[in-house]
Amino acid sequence: GGIVSLQAACADARLFAGVAAALSSLPKDQPASCQPSRPTAMMLIAGDADRRMPIRGGPADLNSFKGEVASAEETVQAFARAASCSGK
């Protein structure tokens, strides 16, 4: 759910008023290519004790996704760039 929502917002933000994901990040290879078509409200909920979806990125172990994910910060930064936010 969360990974697909983030990917869909990256692909065509015009379809959404915003995107929210809990315990999800973009796959490792996608933050650099994520270019939402417009600034998009986004909320990401992440936990530093989650072993299945690492907050700092790395191997994810979900039923629906097994692979490397970007960090929560890299995921948020992809959307911040589209909104011209520096993230500081």
Side-chain angles (χ1 to χ4, degrees):
I3 293 173
V4 172
S5 297
L6 293 167
Q7 290 173 314
C10 284
D12 193 354
R14 296 172 300 157
L15 300 174
F16 306 95
V19 63
L23 308 174
S24 295
S25 287
L26 285 168
K28 182 70 178 166
D29 62 339
Q30 293 184 4
S33 63
C34 177
Q35 297 181 354
S37 54
R38 65 174 181 79
T40 304
M42 98 67 93
M43 179 175 72
L44 184 68
I45 300 168
D48 62 2
D50 188 344
R51 287 187 246 150
R52 302 191 94 192
M53 179 61 66
I55 195 169
R56 291 176 186 84
D61 182 23
L62 305 175
N63 292 334
S64 60
F65 181 85
K66 305 253 190 259
E68 295 281 321
V69 293
S71 70
E73 183 176 355
E74 291 169 317
T75 297
V76 170
Q77 286 298 319
F79 289 89
R81 280 193 308 275
S84 298
C85 296
S86 68
K88 295 183 181 185

